[in-house]
Every structure is written in structure tokens, then in C-alpha cells.
Amino acid sequence: HALSTPNNKEKSKFISKSRDWALQSIVAKIDIDPGIVITEKLIAFKRPAFGGILASEAKTVLGRSTKSKIEKDEQINRKHLK
């Protein structure tokens, strides 16, 4: 019984899932209150990268203020930032 070749939709779904697990996103190292300026000491990088800002984009986050509370280990999203 030969293995079937996946179609393009199946390949795309697999690649997308693999990419999410291969990449890391930016998360809060501690609870961060509104109005706090993001520094390297406040962030960490964790897998998966599903839905968050990629670790490779950390420079776009550093130095920006938060407009809402971010819980420890929560992925940081653009909606959290001013």
C-alpha cells in the first residue's frame, strides 16, 4: 500500500503548522502593566509563534509603551502596544 502524495492544500497546512512550532514569539517574562516601556528584561521568546509577534521582530517592540496589561507568559501582540 503506497503512501499518497499530499495535495497543495495539505502541504500548505502542514508547512504552516511546522513554521508555527519552529518559530518563536515574544512573550511577557513577568506581568506588565499599562504604560510600561518594553525593555529586554521584560520579554522572553517561546514557541509556538502562533498569533504573536515573532522573536525576529523584537526591535519593533523594544522601547514601545503598553496600552493594556500583559500577563506573564502571554504572547505580546500589536494590540498591547501604543
mmCIF file of all heavy atoms in Angstrom, residues 11-31:
data_model
loop_
_atom_site.group_PDB
_atom_site.id
_atom_site.type_symbol
_atom_site.label_atom_id
_atom_site.label_comp_id
_atom_site.label_asym_id
_atom_site.label_seq_id
_atom_site.Cartn_x
_atom_site.Cartn_y
_atom_site.Cartn_z
ATOM 1 N N LYS A 11 -0.247 20.263 1.973
ATOM 2 C CA LYS A 11 1.144 20.692 2.137
ATOM 3 C C LYS A 11 1.202 22.049 2.833
ATOM 4 O O LYS A 11 1.987 22.251 3.752
ATOM 5 C CB LYS A 11 1.841 20.797 0.778
ATOM 6 C CG LYS A 11 2.263 19.504 0.174
ATOM 7 C CD LYS A 11 3.007 19.804 -1.115
ATOM 8 C CE LYS A 11 3.020 18.620 -2.032
ATOM 9 N NZ LYS A 11 3.634 18.922 -3.330
ATOM 10 N N SER A 12 0.375 22.965 2.382
ATOM 11 C CA SER A 12 0.356 24.313 2.941
ATOM 12 C C SER A 12 -0.007 24.288 4.426
ATOM 13 O O SER A 12 0.608 24.974 5.240
ATOM 14 C CB SER A 12 -0.634 25.185 2.177
ATOM 15 O OG SER A 12 -0.689 26.466 2.714
ATOM 16 N N LYS A 13 -0.999 23.488 4.794
ATOM 17 C CA LYS A 13 -1.425 23.373 6.184
ATOM 18 C C LYS A 13 -0.286 22.798 7.041
ATOM 19 O O LYS A 13 -0.012 23.291 8.131
ATOM 20 C CB LYS A 13 -2.666 22.485 6.266
ATOM 21 C CG LYS A 13 -3.311 22.443 7.624
ATOM 22 C CD LYS A 13 -4.590 21.628 7.570
ATOM 23 C CE LYS A 13 -5.232 21.548 8.929
ATOM 24 N NZ LYS A 13 -6.455 20.768 8.926
ATOM 25 N N PHE A 14 0.377 21.776 6.533
ATOM 26 C CA PHE A 14 1.487 21.152 7.250
ATOM 27 C C PHE A 14 2.637 22.143 7.442
ATOM 28 O O PHE A 14 3.190 22.279 8.531
ATOM 29 C CB PHE A 14 1.981 19.913 6.506
ATOM 30 C CG PHE A 14 3.207 19.296 7.123
ATOM 31 C CD1 PHE A 14 3.097 18.500 8.259
ATOM 32 C CD2 PHE A 14 4.458 19.526 6.597
ATOM 33 C CE1 PHE A 14 4.212 17.946 8.845
ATOM 34 C CE2 PHE A 14 5.590 18.979 7.180
ATOM 35 C CZ PHE A 14 5.456 18.185 8.298
ATOM 36 N N ILE A 15 2.987 22.863 6.385
ATOM 37 C CA ILE A 15 4.081 23.834 6.452
ATOM 38 C C ILE A 15 3.754 24.935 7.444
ATOM 39 O O ILE A 15 4.594 25.355 8.240
ATOM 40 C CB ILE A 15 4.400 24.406 5.050
ATOM 41 C CG1 ILE A 15 5.057 23.318 4.195
ATOM 42 C CG2 ILE A 15 5.300 25.633 5.136
ATOM 43 C CD1 ILE A 15 5.181 23.663 2.729
ATOM 44 N N SER A 16 2.506 25.399 7.440
ATOM 45 C CA SER A 16 2.087 26.456 8.354
ATOM 46 C C SER A 16 2.210 25.996 9.805
ATOM 47 O O SER A 16 2.735 26.719 10.651
ATOM 48 C CB SER A 16 0.650 26.871 8.049
ATOM 49 O OG SER A 16 0.234 27.871 8.927
ATOM 50 N N LYS A 17 1.746 24.790 10.108
ATOM 51 C CA LYS A 17 1.848 24.248 11.470
ATOM 52 C C LYS A 17 3.310 24.079 11.869
ATOM 53 O O LYS A 17 3.699 24.403 12.984
ATOM 54 C CB LYS A 17 1.130 22.897 11.567
ATOM 55 C CG LYS A 17 -0.352 23.000 11.700
ATOM 56 C CD LYS A 17 -0.948 21.624 11.905
ATOM 57 C CE LYS A 17 -2.428 21.696 12.118
ATOM 58 N NZ LYS A 17 -3.009 20.378 12.338
ATOM 59 N N SER A 18 4.124 23.580 10.952
ATOM 60 C CA SER A 18 5.546 23.372 11.236
ATOM 61 C C SER A 18 6.233 24.695 11.508
ATOM 62 O O SER A 18 7.060 24.803 12.410
ATOM 63 C CB SER A 18 6.228 22.679 10.058
ATOM 64 O OG SER A 18 5.672 21.408 9.850
ATOM 65 N N ARG A 19 5.894 25.722 10.733
ATOM 66 C CA ARG A 19 6.506 27.035 10.898
ATOM 67 C C ARG A 19 6.158 27.605 12.271
ATOM 68 O O ARG A 19 7.009 28.169 12.952
ATOM 69 C CB ARG A 19 6.034 27.983 9.797
ATOM 70 C CG ARG A 19 6.720 29.327 9.826
ATOM 71 C CD ARG A 19 6.255 30.261 8.724
ATOM 72 N NE ARG A 19 6.231 29.655 7.425
ATOM 73 C CZ ARG A 19 5.139 29.553 6.666
ATOM 74 N NH1 ARG A 19 3.994 30.018 7.072
ATOM 75 N NH2 ARG A 19 5.202 28.994 5.480
ATOM 76 N N ASP A 20 4.888 27.470 12.685
ATOM 77 C CA ASP A 20 4.473 27.976 13.995
ATOM 78 C C ASP A 20 5.313 27.363 15.108
ATOM 79 O O ASP A 20 5.703 28.045 16.044
ATOM 80 C CB ASP A 20 2.988 27.677 14.253
ATOM 81 C CG ASP A 20 2.062 28.523 13.397
ATOM 82 O OD1 ASP A 20 2.519 29.535 12.823
ATOM 83 O OD2 ASP A 20 0.879 28.162 13.302
ATOM 84 N N TRP A 21 5.585 26.068 15.022
ATOM 85 C CA TRP A 21 6.354 25.400 16.067
ATOM 86 C C TRP A 21 7.841 25.658 15.947
ATOM 87 O O TRP A 21 8.567 25.633 16.924
ATOM 88 C CB TRP A 21 6.065 23.903 16.075
ATOM 89 C CG TRP A 21 4.811 23.641 16.806
ATOM 90 C CD1 TRP A 21 3.591 23.369 16.273
ATOM 91 C CD2 TRP A 21 4.613 23.690 18.221
ATOM 92 N NE1 TRP A 21 2.654 23.249 17.262
ATOM 93 C CE2 TRP A 21 3.251 23.433 18.471
ATOM 94 C CE3 TRP A 21 5.448 23.938 19.301
ATOM 95 C CZ2 TRP A 21 2.724 23.412 19.748
ATOM 96 C CZ3 TRP A 21 4.916 23.912 20.584
ATOM 97 C CH2 TRP A 21 3.566 23.647 20.782
ATOM 98 N N ALA A 22 8.315 25.933 14.729
ATOM 99 C CA ALA A 22 9.739 26.186 14.539
ATOM 100 C C ALA A 22 10.125 27.587 14.987
ATOM 101 O O ALA A 22 11.223 27.811 15.473
ATOM 102 C CB ALA A 22 10.105 26.003 13.069
ATOM 103 N N LEU A 23 9.204 28.544 14.834
ATOM 104 C CA LEU A 23 9.491 29.933 15.178
ATOM 105 C C LEU A 23 9.068 30.244 16.609
ATOM 106 O O LEU A 23 8.231 29.567 17.176
ATOM 107 C CB LEU A 23 8.757 30.869 14.210
ATOM 108 C CG LEU A 23 9.148 30.738 12.741
ATOM 109 C CD1 LEU A 23 8.256 31.626 11.888
ATOM 110 C CD2 LEU A 23 10.605 31.093 12.526
ATOM 111 N N GLN A 24 9.656 31.304 17.144
ATOM 112 C CA GLN A 24 9.319 31.733 18.496
ATOM 113 C C GLN A 24 8.620 33.086 18.438
ATOM 114 O O GLN A 24 8.853 33.883 17.537
ATOM 115 C CB GLN A 24 10.578 31.870 19.341
ATOM 116 C CG GLN A 24 11.285 30.563 19.577
ATOM 117 C CD GLN A 24 12.554 30.754 20.376
ATOM 118 O OE1 GLN A 24 13.258 31.731 20.201
ATOM 119 N NE2 GLN A 24 12.835 29.818 21.263
ATOM 120 N N SER A 25 7.760 33.323 19.412
ATOM 121 C CA SER A 25 7.115 34.631 19.517
ATOM 122 C C SER A 25 7.571 35.312 20.806
ATOM 123 O O SER A 25 8.161 34.696 21.687
ATOM 124 C CB SER A 25 5.592 34.502 19.494
ATOM 125 O OG SER A 25 5.146 33.776 20.608
ATOM 126 N N ILE A 26 7.273 36.595 20.882
ATOM 127 C CA ILE A 26 7.649 37.389 22.057
ATOM 128 C C ILE A 26 6.563 37.247 23.112
ATOM 129 O O ILE A 26 5.383 37.403 22.816
ATOM 130 C CB ILE A 26 7.813 38.868 21.667
ATOM 131 C CG1 ILE A 26 8.876 39.011 20.567
ATOM 132 C CG2 ILE A 26 8.192 39.705 22.890
ATOM 133 C CD1 ILE A 26 8.939 40.392 19.955
ATOM 134 N N VAL A 27 6.975 36.926 24.337
ATOM 135 C CA VAL A 27 6.047 36.811 25.463
ATOM 136 C C VAL A 27 6.540 37.676 26.614
ATOM 137 O O VAL A 27 7.708 38.056 26.675
ATOM 138 C CB VAL A 27 5.889 35.344 25.951
ATOM 139 C CG1 VAL A 27 5.353 34.448 24.853
ATOM 140 C CG2 VAL A 27 7.200 34.801 26.488
ATOM 141 N N ALA A 28 5.626 37.985 27.521
ATOM 142 C CA ALA A 28 5.984 38.751 28.718
ATOM 143 C C ALA A 28 6.689 37.833 29.709
ATOM 144 O O ALA A 28 6.189 36.767 30.036
ATOM 145 C CB ALA A 28 4.730 39.347 29.347
ATOM 146 N N LYS A 29 7.858 38.249 30.177
ATOM 147 C CA LYS A 29 8.606 37.477 31.165
ATOM 148 C C LYS A 29 7.947 37.587 32.544
ATOM 149 O O LYS A 29 8.027 36.671 33.358
ATOM 150 C CB LYS A 29 10.049 37.981 31.234
ATOM 151 C CG LYS A 29 10.996 37.068 31.952
ATOM 152 C CD LYS A 29 12.411 37.620 31.988
ATOM 153 C CE LYS A 29 13.093 37.505 30.655
ATOM 154 N NZ LYS A 29 14.533 37.887 30.724
ATOM 155 N N ILE A 30 7.302 38.737 32.786
ATOM 156 C CA ILE A 30 6.571 38.998 34.030
ATOM 157 C C ILE A 30 5.276 39.716 33.658
ATOM 158 O O ILE A 30 5.092 40.104 32.508
ATOM 159 C CB ILE A 30 7.394 39.880 35.002
ATOM 160 C CG1 ILE A 30 7.716 41.231 34.348
ATOM 161 C CG2 ILE A 30 8.666 39.177 35.449
ATOM 162 C CD1 ILE A 30 8.312 42.249 35.293
ATOM 163 N N ASP A 31 4.381 39.916 34.620
ATOM 164 C CA ASP A 31 3.198 40.738 34.364
ATOM 165 C C ASP A 31 3.656 42.153 34.028
ATOM 166 O O ASP A 31 4.511 42.710 34.723
ATOM 167 C CB ASP A 31 2.280 40.788 35.589
ATOM 168 C CG ASP A 31 1.560 39.472 35.852
ATOM 169 O OD1 ASP A 31 1.552 38.598 34.960
ATOM 170 O OD2 ASP A 31 0.986 39.331 36.952
#
